Amino acid sequence: MTVVKYKVEKGVAWLAMNNPPLNALSHALRQAIVAGIDRAGADRAVQAIVLIGNDRAFSSGADIKEFAGGEFYRDPFLPAVVAALEASAKPVIAAIGGVCMGGGFEVALGCHYRVALGDTKISFPEVKLGLIPGAAGTQRFPRLVGLETAVNMIVSGATVPAAALKDTALFDVVVKDDLRGAAAEFARRLEKKPPRRVRDLPVEHPQAEAFLQFAKQGVATVARGLSAPLRAIEAIAATTTQDYDAGLATEQKIFGELMVSPESKAMRHAFFAERAATKVPGITEQTKPREVKKVAVVGAGTMGGGIAMSFANAGFPVTLLEAKQDALDRGIATIRKFYEGAAQKGKLSPGDAAKRVALITPSLDFAAAKEADLIIEAVFEDLGVKKSVFQQIDKVARKGAILATNTSTLDVDRIAAYTKRPGDVLGLHFFSPANVMKLLEVVGAAKTRPDVLATALGLARKIGKTAVVSGVCDGFIGNRMINRYSQQALLMLEEGASPQQVDRAIEKFGFAMGPFRMSDLAGNDISWHIRQRHYEEHPKQRRMRIADRIGELGRFGQKTGSGWYRYEPGKRDALPDPVVESIIKEERAVLKITPRKLADAEIVERLLYALINEGARILAEGIALRASDIDLVYLAGYGFPVQRGGPMFHASQVGLGTVLRRMREFAANPHADPAFWKPAPLIVKLAAAGKTFDDPPEKKSSQQRRARRG
Ligand code: NAD
């Protein structure tokens, strides 16, 4: 394959990048661009050069698969390619359409002139990978669009259409269509005009220093511990204090430092995790997803309403079913209020808000679901209620419709067995609030057909969710792990920590919210009910008396004005509460524990290793297909800090040998429950072999195990 096609027409050399799908700047493409420039430079028949992409992209930027090996730095390294374009003695015009991102955009900035389609998607997404533009983007872009626009775009990673930048010096021509024609016409009009090099342009701003200082402060408050956005400002600032070459050296230095930073490694891991999660055994290119045009949701409570909105937001008509008129009215009123609120805040136009409300049709008659292609049940968490609902759905649903349950804890295999079509049944575990939270656990039951799973994964993308496939178990991936984490948090209260200390320690590590603040937000009644069920199922299980007393007092969290903390009316600030302190003290006395001071580091380790140990079991059981899926669940659904890459990635960074040693030390603590810290066999095995979770031996998927069970 020729990665750059070369053609001369009427004195113009056309270099067409051809590295589908999106012209990622692989080593081969970089080499071919430089070769094309050299060839055109030497070709007497050529007066001007046009660099153009394919229909989908000018270029999506670096080929980040090359980050892992040495290819990314292999000669010609991207900055050298960009420099070669700029150094060309013949004028080079970038003809830009489709996607033009990161390194691809830097290539365009190395060209002397730029002609673009107005709807070209322009962005510098490097900060999302913990990086900054590293091929002079931070030095050239401000010279064309000014400091403010450059800071905004580079720091946010936001995508903007080319048309939005048409009043800057960035583009020479912006057209609606016929990019080729416009570029050819521009090249012809250029005639013998010399190259215009961006590096020679000044950066102008009346108060550059003050602006950059202001920008730095603003970014520091929202960057939540991430360093790349601040370092991007540092690189951009060099355009105002240093000459071009020195500024470029500053950028290169920062880029190099970030490239090897744990933050960027973790963010790149998260990026690949998202891609890997779409690959599911049993789903092949031949697996044809089912068509889903109409959706029905059963239950108009907290989850049903949110799920209905998720689909309405993506333009799906939704039938919302309820058992009782008052519950239905309440559900619809909540939905309406949400959309009206969004319109008032300017997040949605009043027209769009009305359209979304209109897409949701309330009904008390299950027959209204007969045309739905997907029916999602979100009724009470009670197997009897689920049974009756699934039997009714089974009667009315059309052949081939997909039937889903949003259960958090119940056995999806049993639920599927209530129907005569278990192959069409799966779990779709949304998180609350369902219209906001990104994560969707797609639960494959024993008999779920591959095309049903494939349909769910495709739909998740359409409604903007991050889908992760999970096998069937109590709590699936996310809640089964969080349960261990919460238990550990409660044990630390018994030993001497306070809710605020536990929350503060893990929030300092980077979590959006500590376990007690999170529980107050989600509702302490939920975990209390789950604990009651666990006590019944496992009578020997240690009782969490402190938490049970919080539940018995009806301290359900923010919604009741008190929980682990107290809340002033109408406010969400978590305030320490003497009532909680005395409960903790009393229970410590009952347990005959003399409280000790726990170091923040111990708190963080115990919370994380509780997650990791359960994650390892989940992986070994094949409930999760890969360690990075578990990371994705935690990044998308539980506020795990992205710069730490997720619990399993974090474990690999710490070293499984260390994790194992520390768990054994925790087990030796006089108040520890030794069963709690029994290390997962997978961790023991991997630690002994000096391996990480990315390389698990003898991994079996639950699908495979099921197949063997017959
Ligand atoms: P909810 O109590 O807010 O809503 C349940 C709704 O189902 C009620 O409006 C009720 O009237 C309706 N309902 C009950 N029986 C019905 C029937 N036979 N036919 C039609 N409607 C019926 O509960 P929720 O928090 O929305 O939870 C619903 C499901 O989602 C549960 O399985 C729960 O475990 C799961 N879930 C909840 C959360 C959460 O954070 N709340 C998160 C993930 C999953």
Side-chain angles (χ1 to χ4, degrees):
M1 186 178 72
T2 321
V3 285
V4 170
K5 291 184 192 151
Y6 183 93
K7 191 166 75 175
V8 179
E9 262 174 24
K10 300 182 188 156
V12 175
W14 289 82
L15 307 187
M17 294 181 276
N18 177 36
N19 186 24
L22 299 177
N23 287 326
L25 292 157
S26 62
H27 176 252
L29 180 54
R30 299 197 304 272
Q31 216 170 21
I33 293 172
V34 175
I37 287 289
D38 288 347
R39 183 171 167 189
D43 190 338
R44 290 232 188 113
V46 170
Q47 272 96 50
I49 303 162
V50 176
L51 182 65
I52 192 166
N54 58 28
D55 284 346
R56 289 183 61 190
F58 178 76
S59 166
S60 60
D63 182 348
I64 74 165
K65 282 198 301 297
E66 290 190 349
F67 283 9
E71 288 293 278
F72 176 71
Y73 285 109
R74 200 167 143 204
D75 186 40
F77 182 33
L78 188 59
V81 176
V82 178
L85 287 164
E86 192 169 66
S88 162
K90 295 178 183 173
V92 185
I93 301 145
I96 310 166
V99 167
C100 182
M101 290 164 67
F105 191 22
E106 291 176 298
V107 164
L109 297 178
C111 298
H112 306 128
Y113 301 95
R114 279 158 294 280
V115 175
L117 286 176
D119 62 359
T120 304
K121 294 188 181 74
I122 305 277
S123 70
F124 276 120
E126 286 82 352
V127 285
K128 295 182 180 166
L129 297 178
L131 296 170
I132 63 167
T138 65
Q139 303 304 298
R140 288 202 180 90
F141 194 44
R143 289 177 153 82
L144 289 166
V145 298
L147 276 181
E148 294 187 25
T149 303
V151 166
N152 286 342
M153 281 190 63
I154 293 176
V155 164
S156 67
T159 302
V160 300
L165 297 167
K166 75 177 183 346
D167 296 332
T168 67
L170 180 60
F171 299 115
D172 298 281
V173 179
V174 176
V175 289
K176 281 215 169 80
D177 49 28
D178 191 18
L179 179 63
R180 232 164 205 287
E185 166 68 12
F186 184 81
R188 197 182 54 73
R189 277 197 290 115
L190 256 186
E191 292 180 344
K192 297 238 169 341
K193 259 209 208 142
R196 183 198 57 187
R197 300 191 167 90
V198 177
R199 57 174 286 149
D200 299 333
L201 303 175
V203 176
E204 281 163 359
H205 193 286
Q207 288 169 311
E209 203 181 328
F211 166 71
L212 288 165
Q213 195 53 33
F214 170 76
K216 222 163 150 179
Q217 279 162 3
V219 170
T221 54
V222 294
R224 290 224 352 236
L226 294 177
S227 61
L230 282 170
R231 306 238 45 204
I233 297 184
E234 192 184 327
I236 296 167
T239 60
T240 65
T241 54
Q242 298 176 318
D243 66 23
Y244 179 82
D245 288 321
L248 185 58
T250 299
E251 178 198 272
Q252 296 289 297
K253 181 170 167 287
I254 297 172
F255 180 83
E257 286 165 7
L258 290 176
M259 192 71 175
V260 294
S261 67
E263 171 179 317
S264 177
K265 279 190 198 152
M267 292 173 88
R268 270 138 51 195
H269 168 75
F271 177 87
F272 284 118
E274 207 153 321
R275 291 183 167 192
T278 60
K279 298 187 180 72
V280 176
I283 299 181
T284 65
E285 288 196 351
Q286 279 72 49
T287 313
K288 200 167 162 276
R290 299 185 189 180
E291 203 172 6
V292 175
K293 287 193 173 151
K294 291 184 181 164
V295 179
V297 176
V298 188
T302 312
M303 295 308 289
I307 295 168
M309 287 194 274
S310 293
F311 282 94
N313 290 345
F316 287 89
V318 183
T319 303
L320 187 57
L321 289 160
E322 254 295 342
K324 296 195 191 104
Q325 187 66 49
D326 58 337
L328 189 57
D329 293 345
R330 253 195 326 270
I332 290 289
T334 307
I335 290 170
R336 184 161 285 148
K337 203 170 137 206
F338 177 86
Y339 281 130
E340 282 168 2
Q344 267 161 18
K345 286 182 206 140
K347 290 183 182 166
L348 207 62
S349 75
D352 280 344
K355 254 189 228 155
R356 292 181 196 189
V357 172
L359 277 171
I360 302 174
T361 311
S363 175
L364 292 174
D365 182 3
F366 270 66
K370 71 174 189 297
E371 284 178 12
D373 307 301
L374 166 68
I375 305 176
I376 305 173
E377 164 279 311
V379 301
F380 300 136
E381 187 75 339
D382 177 288
L383 209 51
V385 182
K386 306 266 188 209
K387 181 176 179 181
S388 129
V389 166
F390 269 83
Q391 284 172 341
Q392 291 180 71
I393 294 176
D394 197 19
K395 277 196 202 117
V396 298
R398 69 162 183 79
K399 191 167 169 274
I402 295 176
L403 314 184
T405 171
N406 182 48
T407 182
S408 313
T409 53
L410 302 173
D411 183 344
V412 183
D413 288 325
R414 275 181 84 175
I415 293 175
Y418 297 143
T419 72
K420 293 193 187 74
R421 40 177 132 183
D424 296 342
V425 179
L426 85 168
L428 287 181
H429 186 220
F430 287 82
F431 287 72
S432 180
N435 52 319
V436 176
M437 293 295 291
K438 281 276 210 212
L439 179 63
L440 176 65
E441 284 179 322
V442 174
V443 185
K447 295 190 176 157
T448 308
R449 292 204 181 94
D451 63 334
V452 171
L453 275 185
T455 310
L457 293 175
L459 268 177
R461 216 180 12 254
K462 280 194 193 145
I463 62 171
K465 302 288 179 203
T466 302
V468 177
V469 171
S470 169
V472 175
C473 68
D474 190 347
F476 312 122
I477 297 172
N479 283 346
R480 177 168 152 186
M481 285 167 68
I482 208 74
N483 190 24
R484 305 293 285 169
Y485 165 97
S486 308
Q487 242 173 304
Q488 199 48 226
L490 295 174
L491 289 169
M492 288 192 279
L493 295 190
E494 292 178 1
E495 283 174 47
S498 65
Q500 1 347 339
Q501 192 200 352
V502 173
D503 282 351
R504 233 184 292 120
I506 198 75
E507 285 164 15
K508 228 160 60 199
F509 173 82
F511 264 79
M513 227 183 256
F516 297 104
R517 286 213 296 141
M518 184 159 105
S519 190
D520 270 0
L521 179 67
N524 297 323
D525 46 332
I526 298 182
S527 45
W528 186 40
H529 289 312
I530 293 175
R531 264 195 321 279
Q532 303 299 325
R533 183 169 60 79
H534 286 171
Y535 296 153
E536 272 169 36
E537 288 169 4
H538 312 281
K540 284 196 191 141
Q541 186 174 315
R542 182 170 175 161
R543 308 251 153 173
M544 294 294 166
R545 279 296 305 148
I546 299 174
D548 292 345
R549 283 184 61 184
I550 297 284
E552 285 155 15
L553 287 173
R555 299 179 64 106
F556 294 158
Q558 287 192 16
K559 62 185 171 191
T560 57
S562 69
W564 290 104
Y565 297 91
R566 63 183 182 86
Y567 300 86
E568 301 278 347
K571 294 200 175 147
R572 286 165 175 260
D573 306 307
L575 307 168
D577 191 335
V579 177
V580 177
E581 275 169 40
S582 30
I583 293 176
I584 295 174
K585 264 197 200 137
E586 285 163 24
E587 292 303 323
R588 281 179 191 152
V590 172
L591 292 165
K592 300 193 174 46
I593 293 175
T594 314
R596 71 180 170 95
K597 174 143 181 47
L598 278 80
D600 284 0
E602 178 181 342
I603 293 175
V604 169
E605 278 190 299
R606 284 173 62 173
L607 291 176
L608 294 178
Y609 300 169
L611 282 180
I612 292 161
N613 203 29
E614 196 62 24
R617 292 183 205 281
I618 283 173
L619 190 58
E621 288 169 26
I623 296 294
L625 292 167
R626 51 185 83 79
S628 65
D629 279 6
I630 299 177
D631 288 333
L632 197 52
V633 165
Y634 269 77
L635 294 169
Y638 291 83
F640 199 98
V642 65
Q643 66 270 35
R644 308 280 189 175
M648 309 313 268
F649 179 81
H650 179 73
S652 302
Q653 300 303 298
V654 171
L656 291 181
T658 305
V659 172
L660 185 60
R661 201 184 65 227
R662 294 293 286 150
M663 290 200 296
R664 287 182 171 146
E665 284 167 13
F666 299 147
N669 172 341
H671 300 298
D673 175 358
F676 186 99
W677 288 117
K678 194 167 181 299
L682 180 60
I683 295 187
V684 178
K685 217 188 278 183
L686 292 175
K691 289 184 173 169
T692 72
F693 286 122
D694 294 330
D695 190 20
E698 302 159 40
K699 201 179 99 185
K700 303 172 203 94
S701 76
S702 51
Q703 279 92 338
Q704 285 164 336
R705 284 183 299 110
R706 262 188 238 116
R708 259 193 298 114
R709 279 206 306 264

